[in-house]
Amino acid sequence: MDFKFTEQQEMLRAMVREFVERECPKHLVRKWDEEKKFPLEVFHKLMSLGLSGVAIPTKYGGMGGSIIDYAIVCEELARSGSWGLGSYFNAVVMYGADIILNCGNEEQKQLFLPKFAKGEMRFAYGITEPDSGSDAAAAKTSAVDKGDHFVLNGTKMFITLGDDVDYTVTLARTDKNLPKHKGLSLLLVDTKSKGYSAKPLKKIAGYTDTTCELVFDNVIVPKSMVLGGPEMINHGWELLLRTLEIEHLLVAANALGYAQVAFDDSLQYAKDRYAFGQPIGKFQAISHMLAEMAVDLHLARLSVCHLAWLKANDMPCYKESCITKLVATECWTKIALRGMEILGGYSLTMDFDMQRYLRDSFILLIGGGTKQIQKNMIARAIGL
Ligand SMILES: Cc1cc2nc3c(=O)[nH]c(=O)nc-3n(C[C@H](O)[C@H](O)[C@H](O)COP(=O)(O)OP(=O)(O)OC[C@H]3O[C@@H](n4cnc5c(N)ncnc54)[C@H](O)[C@@H]3O)c2cc1C
């Protein structure tokens, strides 16, 4: 058993951490949240480091690393505490590069991967609909075959950055006569297409990205833009499952980074805040809370590292991916909740970040599959 990262991976981690410390100081991250706007120039600076290409093969313009490298970058970006920074990176890597790498045909890899490697392209993931979230295969958005293209009609809900990406990977029903999970395809919909519109929803968290309702009104999608190529028409569900483990891993790596910053802030506060003549961290009630938070963080980190290793080595990891998504996202919420207690009255002010960590943590508890759905999948995986 070897728990060490490689020298290159340690260098990668140090490079992202240095970027975050330089470009995302706490006061700016707080200001972006207050202004509900993530500054894209910070994202472009990040992209100029080539980080979006770390796990893209060299023949497509990347650095040829593994999914472990993406997990490291996701965790370190999240340690900024900036929801937007992580979300924009995910639009390039989680919903872009990784989907094309795992599901695209050769033509699509050649077309898109060099752009992802340079950070010049972003994708959204259009699965959820107003009437179907957990039950994603009940999607009603329809794509009617017109020979060399489909005509797409329908509505998607809660689509991250649906108004600020180049393409939306869209789950659509391409054959109404096939059983529920069979007649679906994933279409790469150009967001500049006539008939595509995106409306950001008002929400209580994740102020530095958008969550959109999308409407497709007779949008034309060429057959070359079926994910995986025309031979994958009606195999969309299969492809969606193929992307699930990586989505779980990167969501969990994100959650781990955000949980870490919530823990660090709580610990610092417990050392700095005095009551009854001593730092509050000296009270057993507070120190035990912090000890429990350290335990949760440790277990979440082990789970993320193990999953990253399984995935990088092409080993089966469906159950582990559900466990890790559940453990890491719950860890973030639990740590932020305890952090609220430790910060006392200040936790409710906008001058401290704990309230934001708590609000934002709810997104990852839901996005990518709720905890009830993870438990259903784990139960199935253990034979129930
Ligand atoms: C900020 C944000 C960003 C998002 N980004 C995206 C995105 O980019 N792309 C995308 O496609 N979607 C996105 N989503 C949608 C997200 O994936 C869904 O909200 C999620 O899958 C749950 O679906 P739902 O909200 O329709 O809840 P429902 O499916 O209606 O579930 C409601 C409740 O019932 C429970 N439930 C449902 N079915 C079962 C069951 N079989 N067993 C036990 N309990 C069950 C759920 O766990 C939940 O507690 C985002 C959501 C949010 C909040």
Side-chain angles (χ1 to χ4, degrees):
M1 213 180 280
D2 183 357
F3 277 98
K4 276 203 308 290
F5 288 104
T6 64
E7 205 177 309
Q8 281 105 323
Q9 285 164 346
E10 292 295 2
M11 279 161 59
L12 175 68
R13 189 183 288 283
M15 179 182 170
V16 187
R17 196 168 292 184
E18 198 263 324
F19 174 88
V20 162
E21 281 166 10
R22 192 180 62 242
E23 301 293 337
C24 309
K26 278 183 183 298
H27 70 279
L28 282 186
V29 173
R30 203 173 298 146
K31 181 166 163 273
W32 301 337
D33 184 69
E34 273 166 23
E35 293 172 354
K36 299 192 177 177
K37 187 130 191 74
F38 178 70
L40 275 182
E41 60 273 18
V42 174
F43 169 72
H44 292 311
K45 272 189 204 166
L46 178 71
M47 291 299 98
S48 71
L49 301 179
L51 291 172
S52 59
V54 288
I56 293 177
T58 48
K59 68 171 174 168
Y60 301 115
M63 294 183 203
S66 78
I67 192 70
I68 298 177
D69 301 319
Y70 273 156
I72 290 172
V73 179
C74 284
E75 181 193 342
E76 289 299 324
L77 292 179
R79 283 179 72 146
S80 67
S82 165
W83 177 256
L85 186 67
S87 185
Y88 272 88
F89 186 75
N90 289 343
V92 185
V93 163
M94 183 155 70
Y95 297 130
D98 272 324
I99 286 191
I100 295 296
L101 259 177
N102 286 290
C103 305
N105 62 8
E106 191 49 39
E107 203 183 321
Q108 290 163 353
K109 286 180 185 171
Q110 286 182 16
L111 178 64
F112 292 118
L113 290 178
K115 294 180 182 153
F116 290 127
K118 288 192 206 140
E120 289 172 353
M121 182 157 273
R122 297 192 286 272
F123 278 13
Y125 205 34
I127 309 299
T128 307
E129 300 195 353
D131 297 329
S132 56
S134 304
D135 188 9
K140 289 186 199 138
T141 292
S142 82
V144 176
D145 195 331
K146 296 282 181 186
D148 63 347
H149 66 273
F150 285 105
V151 175
L152 186 67
N153 280 286
T155 306
K156 293 286 172 184
M157 190 54 93
F158 302 126
I159 309 307
T160 301
L161 292 175
D163 61 341
D164 201 11
V165 289
D166 303 283
Y167 283 81
T168 295
V169 184
T170 305
L171 184 69
R173 193 155 296 285
T174 36
D175 191 336
K176 288 193 169 107
N177 299 317
L178 288 174
K180 184 176 170 185
H181 292 84
K182 299 278 183 205
L184 294 162
S185 305
L186 285 168
L187 307 179
L188 304 172
V189 181
D190 186 336
T191 58
K192 292 183 295 303
S193 307
K194 193 165 172 279
Y196 179 102
S197 60
K199 187 177 85 182
L201 304 167
K202 286 187 184 165
K203 52 184 177 164
I204 63 143
Y207 285 167
T208 41
D209 74 1
T210 54
T211 306
C212 298
E213 180 186 42
L214 306 183
V215 175
F216 307 106
D217 180 9
N218 288 316
V219 174
I220 290 177
V221 185
K223 286 232 170 112
S224 59
M225 287 294 117
V226 175
L227 184 63
E231 62 272 28
M232 293 314 279
I233 293 171
N234 296 329
H235 292 280
W237 191 252
E238 212 175 295
L239 296 181
L240 188 140
L241 291 183
R242 214 185 278 174
T243 64
L244 199 74
E245 290 161 358
I246 287 185
E247 187 185 18
H248 283 171
L249 169 62
L250 298 185
V251 163
N254 271 153
L256 181 63
Y258 291 116
Q260 179 73 55
V261 71
F263 173 79
D264 292 344
D265 283 14
S266 305
L267 181 61
Q268 193 58 49
Y269 191 86
K271 289 177 179 172
D272 294 344
R273 176 74 174 173
Y274 274 66
F276 301 93
Q278 62 175 18
I280 58 166
K282 292 283 177 202
F283 296 114
Q284 196 184 55
I286 301 288
S287 69
H288 278 194
M289 251 197 272
L290 281 156
E292 284 165 15
M293 289 152 83
V295 170
D296 283 340
L297 203 53
H298 180 70
L299 296 177
R301 174 157 289 110
L302 285 181
S303 195
V304 168
C305 290
H306 182 227
L307 175 60
W309 178 80
L310 287 172
K311 196 69 204 162
N313 287 289
D314 260 338
M315 291 160 87
C317 58
Y318 176 78
K319 181 182 73 181
E320 288 79 1
S321 85
C322 301
I323 291 175
T324 305
K325 201 268 175 186
L326 181 68
V327 165
T329 56
E330 283 202 312
C331 169
W332 179 14
T333 306
K334 276 200 240 167
I335 287 186
L337 265 175
R338 291 196 187 109
M340 293 293 283
E341 285 189 67
I342 292 169
L343 265 66
Y346 288 109
S347 70
L348 281 104
T349 70
M350 302 309 264
D351 299 328
F352 285 79
D353 299 318
M354 203 56 69
Q355 45 75 31
R356 191 181 76 241
Y357 303 149
L358 181 64
R359 283 188 283 119
D360 289 351
S361 79
F362 285 104
I363 303 174
L364 293 190
L365 276 184
I366 298 167
T370 64
K371 61 184 190 179
Q372 290 80 13
I373 294 303
Q374 302 309 319
K375 287 177 192 174
N376 286 351
M377 294 195 285
I378 295 164
R380 262 202 303 278
I382 59 174
L384 292 170

